[in-house]
């Protein structure tokens, strides 16, 4: 393990502009630097690097962080790998904690070879693969193997003097009540590679009717299920060349699709597509085709993936295999043309989400129609303003309603980069920015200023109060259009916000039917006192 001290030392040698410009071209823009974001496709630069704050932020996709985070995401490296890379870039040496023993990764390679050899001698496993239509070439290409009994694997490790602690670290074995046992028993094995081509774990399919049809290596230091994609190391070249990636649900789908020539197919490792997969999916800027089963679980997974991918501005769409088909079966049945047609015509993510939401509701029932509208409005708000505009008319048509009912426009970090804000919006954001830049003011300000006093940006103020590290606020910090107030300016602005607020409150009390005459008098007097105080500038944030 790298020592804390040397990480701190490394950090002090990092300049974010210097580091990022070694990967992408940065252009000076005011106090900051700009570029087209390397994490999402765009033609006008919304990726900003701040030399003062030593952070980057993308107004388009919300990506952001420091030098370490950038290199980690850009190069798809683990944290220690990133530190090592940065250390060599800036010529700083790292110290390692000597108590930490480096894991010998050759063990998993040896186990993989062992599983492959076992397959050759196991007729049952071989005939299973043959029945599924998997060719010998694919078996070799994907290094498919077979794990026999637990004692076989344990004996193999022992007779080859392999380190059992390392084997456990890699999730090959575990210890239970009766000692060591192997995790993969009577299963077809699929080695899982990291993007840089090293084996990090296995997937296993039972052929003897074990409870779980598929299992994976447990989460280990090297094996993070929600970041890896099965087959990526083999698919990489085609993905870059064809600018398309097919994401399926299963190992066999990947093997069979490659066999049929779709060598840009990958699969998630028995998990849903998550935020953590996105940096890997983003590589090479491919169009993403989510190819899932038409059963309830598959549709639900495709729906979630579409929400995630449309929100993160991925191009591509969904292909659903209905009638119990899956890509592997279709290849086995030689339906290659049909597959080709399906993959070349995916349903765009946003359309898929809209249709699926609408299908859930009975549009003949006004109340259900209202719920559908509400759900779709909420979804629209997560998209960019242009897409909101585009899709609001589609939704209106599908729901057969007036398009005025669709609420386009909602604050998101993309919009604050635009100068076309209302003046109230700017005033409110400027207050928030002033506090962000002078956090010591927060305690005083929050005594006077509550979330409901904001007309437009109450959400952002609420974020500032409860989650000041949030990315959306980083966007505001770097926004050149919004310049923080001086203390005097802040006092003036607060006064201008609070006077109409309290004046309105006093009016409201007059008409409040829940208050007795006496209560109204007391409350009014309180508020009038407060108002006088504010007007006489007793409200001073110092
Ligand atoms: Zn971006």
């Amino acid at each position: 393990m790298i020592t804390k001290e040397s990480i701190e030392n490394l950090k002090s040698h990092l300049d974010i502009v210097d580091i990022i410009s070694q990967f992408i071209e940065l252009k000076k823009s005011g106090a900051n630097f700009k570029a087209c974001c390397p994490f999402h496709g765009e033609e006008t630069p919304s990726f900003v690097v701040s030399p003062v704050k030593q952070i980057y932020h993308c107004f388009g996709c919300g990506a952001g962080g420091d030098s370490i985070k950038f290199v980690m995401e850009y190069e798809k490296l683990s944290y220690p790998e990133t530190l090592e890379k940065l250390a060599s870039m800036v010529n700083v040496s790292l110290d390692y904690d000597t108590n930490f023993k480096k894991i010998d990764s050759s063990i998993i390679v040896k186990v993989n070879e062992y599983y492959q050899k076992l397959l050759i001698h196991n007729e049952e496993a071989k005939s299973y693969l043959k029945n599924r239509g998997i060719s010998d070439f694919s078996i070799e290409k994907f290094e498919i193997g077979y794990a026999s009994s637990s004692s076989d694997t344990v004996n193999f490790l022992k007779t080859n003097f392999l380190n059992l602690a390392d084997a456990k670290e890699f999730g090959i074995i575990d210890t239970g009540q009766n000692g060591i046992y192997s995790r993969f028993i009577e299963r077809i094995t699929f080695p899982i590679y990291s993007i840089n081509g090293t084996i990090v774990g296995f997937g296993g399919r039972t052929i003897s009717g074990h409870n779980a049809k598929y299992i994976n290596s447990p989460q280990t230091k090297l094996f993070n299920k929600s970041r890896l994609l099965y087959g990526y190391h083999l698919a990489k070249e085609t993905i870059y060349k064809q600018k398309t990636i097919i994401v399926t649900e299963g190992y066999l789908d990947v093997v069979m699709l490659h066999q049929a020539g779709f060598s840009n197919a990958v699969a998630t490792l028995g998990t849903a597509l998550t935020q953590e997969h996105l940096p890997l999916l983003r590589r090479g800027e491919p169009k993403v085709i989510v190819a899932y089963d038409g059963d309830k679980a598959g549709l639900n997974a495709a729906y979630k993936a579409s929400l995630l991918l449309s929100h993160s501005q991925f191009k591509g769409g969904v292909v659903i295999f209905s009638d119990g088909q899956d890509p592997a079966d279709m290849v086995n049945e030689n339906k290659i043309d049909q597959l080709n047609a399906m993959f070349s015509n995916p349903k765009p993510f946003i359309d898929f989400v809209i249709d699926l939401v609408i299908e859930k509701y009975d549009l003949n029932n006004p109340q259900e129609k209202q719920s559908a509208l509400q759900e779709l409005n909420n979804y629209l708000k997560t998209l960019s303003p242009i897409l909101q505009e585009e899709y609001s008319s589609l939704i209106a048509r599908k729901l057969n309603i007036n398009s005025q009912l669709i609420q386009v426009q909602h604050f998101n970090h993309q919009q604050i980069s635009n100068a076309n804000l209302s003046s109230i919006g700017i005033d409110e954001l400027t207050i928030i920015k002033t506090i962000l830049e002078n956090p010591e003011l927060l305690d005083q300000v929050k005594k006077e200023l509550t979330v409901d006093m904001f007309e437009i940006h109450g959400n952002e103020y609420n974020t500032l109060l409860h989650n000041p590290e949030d990315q959306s606020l980083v966007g505001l910090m770097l926004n050149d259009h919004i310049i923080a107030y001086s203390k005097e300016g802040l006092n003036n602005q607060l006064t201008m916000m609070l006077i109409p607020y309290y004046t309105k409150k006093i009016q409201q009390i007059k008409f409040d039917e829940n208050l007795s005459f006496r209560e109204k008098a007391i409350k009014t007097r309180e508020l009038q006192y407060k108002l006088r105080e504010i007007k006489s500038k007793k409200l001073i944030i110092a």
Side-chain angles (χ1 to χ4, degrees):
M1 216 145 68
I2 302 163
T3 62
K4 267 200 180 125
E5 295 74 25
S6 74
I7 294 174
E8 285 313 312
N9 177 44
L10 170 66
K11 280 184 179 167
S12 70
H13 282 81
L14 300 177
D15 174 65
I16 194 151
V17 176
D18 196 48
I19 298 295
I20 294 185
S21 59
Q22 295 190 45
F23 299 95
I24 58 173
E25 200 192 331
L26 293 176
K27 289 215 173 79
K28 188 115 178 71
S29 160
N32 298 326
F33 290 81
K34 273 191 164 180
C36 282
C37 177
F39 302 113
H40 84 278
E42 63 171 7
E43 270 144 39
T44 45
S46 45
F47 179 85
V48 178
V49 180
S50 163
V52 178
K53 304 195 172 76
Q54 288 291 310
I55 51 174
Y56 67 95
H57 176 80
C58 173
F59 289 98
C61 66
D66 61 4
S67 301
I68 296 173
K69 174 101 182 289
F70 178 87
V71 173
M72 218 165 133
E73 305 258 285
Y74 190 86
E75 294 280 280
K76 310 289 172 304
L77 299 172
S78 68
Y79 185 64
E81 285 167 343
T82 307
L83 296 178
E84 277 163 0
K85 170 146 195 147
L86 282 166
S88 75
M89 280 170 75
V90 295
N91 218 355
V92 164
S93 59
L94 294 171
D95 297 326
Y96 293 81
D97 195 339
T98 43
N99 292 327
F100 180 78
K101 192 175 83 49
K102 210 169 159 21
I103 306 164
D104 179 11
S105 62
S106 69
I107 191 164
I108 195 163
V109 176
K110 286 177 186 145
V111 170
N112 187 39
E113 283 165 3
Y114 169 66
Y115 287 159
Q116 283 175 269
K117 259 183 225 144
L118 286 181
L119 177 69
I120 300 171
H121 304 292
N122 189 290
E123 292 310 320
E124 201 189 347
K126 274 198 293 190
S127 77
Y128 171 80
L129 292 172
K130 204 172 168 195
N131 285 336
R132 297 301 304 260
I134 296 165
S135 70
D136 288 345
F137 179 79
S138 292
I139 291 175
E140 217 163 291
K141 175 177 170 184
F142 285 91
E143 301 173 10
I144 299 171
Y146 176 69
S148 47
S149 68
S150 177
S151 56
D152 281 352
T153 302
V154 174
N155 281 339
F156 166 78
L157 293 170
K158 282 183 176 164
T159 50
N160 286 281
F161 306 106
L162 296 171
N163 187 309
L164 295 179
D166 284 352
K168 193 175 166 184
E169 201 65 64
F170 273 106
I172 295 162
I173 53 167
D174 204 354
T175 34
Q177 282 173 342
N178 305 318
I180 302 165
Y181 67 93
S182 145
R183 282 182 175 269
F184 293 88
I185 299 165
E186 291 165 0
R187 284 178 187 273
I188 307 270
T189 56
F190 301 86
I192 295 158
Y193 279 76
S194 72
I195 173 150
N196 46 29
T198 52
I199 306 183
V200 287
F202 292 100
R205 196 211 189 272
T206 181
I207 53 165
S208 56
H210 276 95
N211 263 342
K213 212 153 128 192
Y214 281 95
I215 60 164
N216 284 307
S217 298
Q219 206 83 349
T220 64
K221 282 196 190 91
L222 292 161
F223 189 72
N224 181 351
K225 263 186 278 202
S226 38
R227 203 170 278 167
L228 293 163
L229 291 168
Y230 176 69
Y232 194 92
H233 68 297
L234 296 170
K236 197 159 91 181
E237 246 184 75
T238 315
I239 293 167
Y240 276 63
K241 228 187 278 163
Q242 297 185 355
K243 294 258 169 217
T244 307
I245 181 170
I246 301 172
V247 182
T248 67
E249 291 181 291
Y251 303 126
L252 284 177
D253 290 331
V254 174
V255 174
M256 291 301 276
L257 283 173
H258 277 245
Q259 199 170 300
F262 301 99
S263 47
N264 53 347
V266 300
T268 48
L269 307 180
T271 66
L273 208 58
T274 65
Q275 195 84 36
E276 285 186 275
H277 286 116
L278 299 189
L280 187 52
L281 278 181
R282 193 83 75 186
R283 286 204 146 190
E285 297 287 320
K287 191 168 100 184
V288 180
I289 296 173
V290 170
Y292 286 2
D293 292 349
D295 58 12
K296 215 173 168 199
L299 282 175
N300 193 31
Y303 172 70
K304 286 193 177 141
S306 297
L307 287 180
L308 180 68
L309 294 170
S310 61
H311 177 53
S312 308
Q313 304 183 346
F314 276 86
K315 293 192 195 84
V318 179
V319 167
I320 293 293
F321 294 88
S322 27
D323 306 323
Q325 288 266 26
D326 67 30
D329 294 332
M330 287 180 72
V331 173
N332 200 16
E333 290 157 23
N334 216 7
K335 295 177 180 163
I336 314 295
D337 290 341
Q338 208 179 319
L339 273 170
N340 237 325
M342 289 172 84
F343 289 142
S344 40
N345 194 22
K347 187 182 239 185
F349 297 123
I350 302 177
D351 297 69
F352 184 80
V353 171
I354 292 173
D355 286 351
L356 212 69
V357 169
I358 288 178
E359 267 170 40
K360 280 197 303 193
Y361 295 98
D362 171 16
L363 297 187
N364 294 318
N365 174 332
Q367 221 134 38
E368 292 213 12
K369 196 164 170 172
Q370 165 69 32
S371 307
L373 174 63
Q374 204 156 16
E375 192 171 339
L376 289 171
N377 263 333
N378 289 340
Y379 169 58
L380 266 194
K381 286 177 188 171
T382 70
L383 305 176
S384 74
I386 296 170
L387 291 173
Q388 292 186 27
E389 199 74 55
E390 283 291 311
Y391 277 94
S392 61
S393 54
L394 176 78
I395 292 175
R397 242 180 301 129
K398 292 207 172 199
L399 293 179
N400 196 16
I401 55 169
N402 189 319
S403 61
Q404 303 274 309
L405 290 171
I406 318 262
Q407 298 159 6
V408 192
Q409 293 297 327
H410 171 79
F411 168 83
N412 63 29
H413 42 250
Q414 193 152 23
Q415 278 168 299
I416 49 167
S417 68
N418 301 333
N420 59 358
L421 285 160
S422 72
S423 66
I424 295 175
I426 293 184
D427 292 342
E428 292 185 358
L429 287 174
T430 309
I431 292 178
I432 297 170
K433 185 163 187 172
T434 307
I435 304 166
L436 277 169
E437 293 195 352
N438 307 281
E440 73 280 1
L441 298 179
L442 181 62
D443 280 342
Q444 292 182 66
V445 172
K446 75 179 177 198
K447 266 189 234 150
E448 302 294 341
L449 195 62
T450 52
V451 173
D452 65 313
M453 291 174 182
F454 284 79
E455 270 184 47
I456 301 172
H457 297 296
N459 272 341
E460 290 70 41
Y461 184 59
N462 196 37
T463 308
L464 173 73
L465 294 179
H466 300 110
N467 189 16
E469 301 291 310
D470 195 83
Q471 274 299 318
S472 59
L473 297 179
V474 176
L476 178 57
M477 288 251 270
L478 295 184
N479 190 335
D480 288 340
H481 299 295
I482 292 166
I483 297 151
Y485 293 123
S486 64
K487 270 183 199 150
E488 197 194 345
L490 180 65
N491 278 313
N492 287 340
Q493 188 54 48
L494 288 176
T495 308
M496 269 158 64
M497 241 172 118
L498 296 184
I499 291 173
Y501 176 82
Y502 283 108
T503 312
K504 202 169 144 197
K505 272 243 142 141
I506 294 168
Q507 286 299 317
Q508 281 169 346
I509 287 175
K510 276 189 201 159
F511 300 106
D512 191 340
E513 288 168 3
N514 296 319
L515 295 176
S516 70
F517 184 76
R518 209 183 116 78
E519 284 168 330
K520 280 185 187 179
I522 295 171
K523 282 221 161 202
T524 307
R525 214 175 309 137
E526 271 173 23
L527 290 171
Q528 273 167 343
Y529 178 75
K530 182 87 199 164
L531 191 59
R532 260 199 307 279
E533 241 190 4
I534 296 164
K535 282 184 179 166
S536 64
K537 295 231 174 189
K538 283 213 178 118
L539 171 98
I540 300 274
I541 308 291

